[in-house]
Structures are given as C-alpha cells and as structure tokens.
Amino acid sequence: MRAVLDFCLVFFTLNSPGVLSLSTHVAIIYPQDPVLRIGSNLTASCWIHPELGVHASSLFWTLNGQQLPSSIYRLLSPTNLSVTLAGLNASRQTSGDNLVCHNHKGHILAGSCIYVGMPPEKPVNLTCWSRNTKDLTCSWAPGGRGETNISTQYKLKYKLRWYGTEKQCDDYTHTHTRTQPYSCSITQDLHLFTPYEIWVEASNQLGRAASDVITLDILDVVTTDPPSGVAVSRVGQLEDQLSVRWEAPPALKDFLFQAKYQIRYRLEDSQDWKVMDDVGNQTSCRLAGLRPGTVYFVQVRCNPVGIYGSRKAGIWSEWSHPTAASTPHSERLMCDSKSSGDSNSTLRRELKQFFGWVRKHAYGCSSMSMKLYDQWRVLMQKSHKARNQVGSTRG
C-alpha cells in the first residue's frame, strides 16, 4: 500500500489480450480526479469489467492506503460498488489523496486522485525592490488562511502605467518563510523614470483572485549591495574606542544619490547588537564607550536615498559581513597604596559628570565631540599612569 501514498493513481489496464484489448480498463472509478472544497461529500463508484469474473460485493476501498469501513459502501450492481465520503478534510499533499478500488485479494483495480482544498484568496503583502536599478523583485503571501491545499498558480503581472502592455514575470521562487513565501524577479526590459503598475493573480481549479495593484517607480525602491571594504581598527591606545571605515556600494558609483549608513556592533560573546542610526553619509565613524580589551563584531549597511532626485526613502541593504577587532587592554595598574587609590577615586568623581556628557555626544560621528573626547581620554590615561608610578615609588 505504501506505493499508493507516494503518487496518484489514474487507471489500470489489463495486459491480457485474450480477455480485453490493451486499451480497455479492467475497472474504473467515477468521478475521476475530482476537485472539491473542504467539507464536501463525495460518492465514488468502482465499475469492473464483466469479463473479469469478479463480483462487486467482494471489492473494498482504501483512502491513502487505509481501508475504508464497509458501512459506507453501497452495492449498486454486480459490477458496481460505491463509497460515500462525508465532510472531506483538506488534501494531505497538493498531488491529491489516493482513492483506490481493490479486489478481494487486495490487488489494485482502479484509482482516482481526490483534490480537496479551497479557492485562493486575494494575495497580500506585495512588496517590490530593485537591486542597484538592474532588476525588480517582488514578493507576496497567500491571502486568508494561507495555502489552499491544492495546486495553486501565482502570476506576477506588470505594465507601464500609462501606455505599456501587460507582461508577466517568469523567474519565480517559492520559499518556506511565512510572511512572503512567493517571489519573482524581472531582469530585463525595465524602464527608469516611469511608474509601473504591478499585481499578482492566483488561480486553481476552484477559483481565482487578484491582489491590489501597486504603483511604483523603480528609482523609489532601490536597494544596494552592502558596503564593501569594511575595516575596523584601534584608535591609537585609546582603550574604549574603535575606528570603522568602509566604501560606498560600487554598483551605484555612477548614480547621483545621497547615501545613509547604519552601523551595528556587538560583543564577541553576545548576540545583542547595538545600532548607530546617526552615521549620516560619511564612510567612516568612531565607536566610543567600549570595553577595554574586548573583541567586537561590526557591520555596516547602506540606504541609497534620493537616486536621481527621488523623494522616497530608500530601502536598506543587507548588513555587510561581520568584521572583528579588539580594543586595547587597560594600562591602569592595581596599587595597594591607599593614598593612590584615594587620588584615583577623586579624579574619577571629578570627571564623572563631564565624561557622561562627552560620551553622550561622542556616540555619533561628530568630529568636534570626538576630538574633545580623545583629548580627555588621553589626559585621563596619562594622569593614571603618573599617579600609579608615584604610588609605586612611595611603596
């Protein structure tokens, strides 16, 4: 019975020319391969050829390899046995459920595929983006409760808004993501500076539905490759800072646009990213307030705002590959001298309020605040070195 579950049976022929011709059915099930809504009832009949010499009362039915109870059979004639299935559930697979008629020895006489599902509902979450203006990819999700449980076709259609003819996307992809499992990419004959109308049509043997039409200009939905050449390095011996540099996406070097960048970073042993939103359009930045002697992973992404004057907010690229670097270890010495410890504590108290303000303003990439912060960090380290040396001499 296992083979019956793996594919849908259609019909079987007897290869004995002494009984029937090669093209004559030993038995046949009617209706053949019905498509039904979930919850429907189905009565199917198995006709056997009189020359087979088998009485219909000796037959039995299986559904997906499981024998059905004789209580739902009905003997219509010596060559015809029916079965009634009430309240059908959704098909287990889109290739259909297998309803099979057997003789008393269990041999298969005939089979039929039963497709039980629902008509498609209006596709939702239609979203499109263009990578470097070279293509247009759109993704969407089935409407309603999701999948229809039977084979359903999706077609992404598009046309220029005012004068174009309707076209259909050909490069489809189906993933197992819940939010937008279907997508299609258009890779040729695209026009810039002209709006497109785009929609999705869904259809199966129980019905059809179309999504809302969206209108967009490719320049308004451009995303880029991640920034390249991301490099993270120390800032001299400043123990709580790292410098980050990167290059603009090369595919957009010939386009007129104002890029925005974001940086995120995390500790080596953590999965919690901290995001810097105020990087602006420069291709370098300073991370401050970090832990001394610690490895950090850093990533950068780009948003191409205003390509050729577009007023729409761009679409963020993927994050660059993580780049790792470590901050210098702290050079402060642990001293047993009480007076040295008191001096250090006094210095920290005096500078606590100031450093709180400086770190707040140095969080972004302001060159003025960063220079001021650098000066005070160097001064603090020198002060600690001098005090530690004095404390060590006195000891």
Side-chain angles (χ1 to χ4, degrees):
M1 296 296 180
R2 183 176 180 82
V4 179
L5 295 174
D6 294 334
F7 60 91
C8 209
L9 302 170
V10 180
F11 59 82
F12 299 85
T13 59
L14 183 68
N15 294 323
S16 175
V19 180
L20 297 171
S21 68
L22 291 174
S23 61
T24 304
H25 300 152
V26 171
I28 190 170
I29 293 176
Y30 181 84
Q32 188 66 216
D33 304 339
V35 182
L36 305 165
R37 283 177 176 257
I38 295 174
S40 298
N41 299 332
L42 171 67
T43 296
S45 297
C46 179
W47 279 282
I48 53 176
H49 199 283
E51 295 185 26
L52 194 61
V54 175
H55 197 278
S57 61
S58 66
L59 307 181
F60 67 91
W61 293 87
T62 62
L63 180 64
N64 292 328
Q66 299 296 317
Q67 185 169 340
L68 297 172
S70 59
S71 59
I72 60 175
Y73 300 172
R74 183 181 178 189
L75 184 63
L76 301 179
S77 74
T79 58
N80 191 350
L81 180 70
S82 70
V83 64
T84 298
L85 305 174
L88 289 169
N89 295 321
S91 295
R92 295 182 182 180
Q93 51 193 13
T94 56
S95 59
D97 294 323
N98 298 286
L99 182 64
V100 180
C101 176
H102 303 259
N103 67 13
H104 67 286
K105 294 182 178 180
H107 297 154
I108 296 173
L109 298 177
S112 177
C113 294
I114 304 175
Y115 302 94
V116 185
M118 296 296 291
E121 296 190 42
K122 180 174 72 174
V124 296
N125 298 336
L126 177 59
T127 305
C128 301
W129 64 93
S130 173
R131 184 171 296 279
N132 305 321
T133 74
K134 305 300 183 183
D135 58 18
L136 184 66
T137 300
C138 299
S139 63
W140 64 91
R145 292 178 294 178
E147 298 295 343
T148 61
N149 298 105
I150 60 176
S151 179
T152 300
Q153 303 296 319
Y154 292 92
K155 296 180 180 180
L156 178 71
K157 296 187 174 182
Y158 62 100
K159 69 180 187 70
L160 293 172
R161 184 175 186 182
W162 293 301
Y163 55 86
T165 58
E166 182 179 302
K167 296 182 180 181
Q168 180 177 315
C169 181
D170 297 321
D171 185 13
Y172 290 90
T173 302
H174 183 201
T175 64
H176 295 288
T177 59
R178 293 184 177 181
T179 54
Q180 292 172 304
Y182 295 94
S183 65
C184 192
S185 296
I186 306 166
T187 57
Q188 57 186 1
D189 298 328
L190 292 173
H191 299 270
L192 303 180
F193 307 104
T194 303
Y196 279 89
E197 291 183 347
I198 302 173
W199 68 98
V200 176
E201 294 180 357
S203 63
N204 62 26
Q205 291 179 280
L206 294 176
R208 62 180 60 247
S211 71
D212 294 332
V213 177
I214 64 173
T215 302
L216 59 84
D217 189 313
I218 290 177
L219 293 176
D220 293 337
V221 293
V222 175
T223 186
T224 74
D225 298 318
S228 60
V230 178
V232 184
S233 59
R234 295 179 178 182
V235 183
Q237 292 303 310
L238 294 177
E239 61 204 30
D240 63 344
Q241 295 188 33
L242 289 173
S243 175
V244 185
R245 296 183 179 276
W246 61 91
E247 298 175 5
L252 291 180
K253 63 180 180 179
D254 296 328
F255 287 83
L256 179 63
F257 72 102
Q258 184 77 19
K260 290 197 308 184
Y261 295 98
Q262 278 186 342
I263 297 176
R264 70 176 186 179
Y265 59 97
R266 64 174 175 84
L267 298 171
E268 181 182 26
D269 58 354
S270 172
Q271 295 302 316
D272 296 328
W273 293 93
K274 188 172 184 179
V275 179
M276 294 182 63
D277 290 313
D278 56 347
V279 178
N281 66 343
Q282 55 192 349
T283 56
S284 64
C285 192
R286 188 80 65 81
L287 304 179
L290 307 178
R291 295 182 186 177
T294 303
V295 175
Y296 284 86
F297 287 97
V298 181
Q299 293 178 296
V300 186
R301 66 177 181 174
C302 175
N303 186 329
V305 179
I307 293 183
Y308 288 135
S310 171
R311 297 182 179 181
K312 298 292 183 67
I315 299 176
W316 287 105
S317 72
E318 298 294 328
W319 290 101
S320 63
H321 292 296
T323 301
S326 63
T327 53
H329 287 278
S330 174
E331 295 185 6
R332 300 173 190 174
L333 301 176
M334 296 300 295
C335 301
D336 295 330
S337 171
K338 183 177 183 301
S339 60
S340 177
D342 292 341
S343 298
N344 289 337
S345 299
T346 301
L347 177 61
R348 283 194 293 271
R349 284 197 303 270
E350 292 174 349
L351 296 180
K352 182 177 180 180
Q353 184 176 2
F354 178 79
F355 271 106
W357 181 89
V358 171
R359 289 190 177 185
K360 178 179 178 181
H361 289 77
Y363 175 72
C365 292
S366 167
S367 59
M368 182 178 296
S369 61
M370 292 307 301
K371 288 180 180 178
L372 183 60
Y373 184 68
D374 289 349
Q375 293 172 3
W376 275 94
R377 289 294 298 124
V378 172
L379 177 61
M380 188 185 75
Q381 289 181 2
K382 288 182 178 180
S383 298
H384 277 286
K385 288 180 181 178
R387 293 176 185 273
N388 286 334
Q389 290 175 358
V390 172
S392 178
T393 302
R394 289 178 178 177

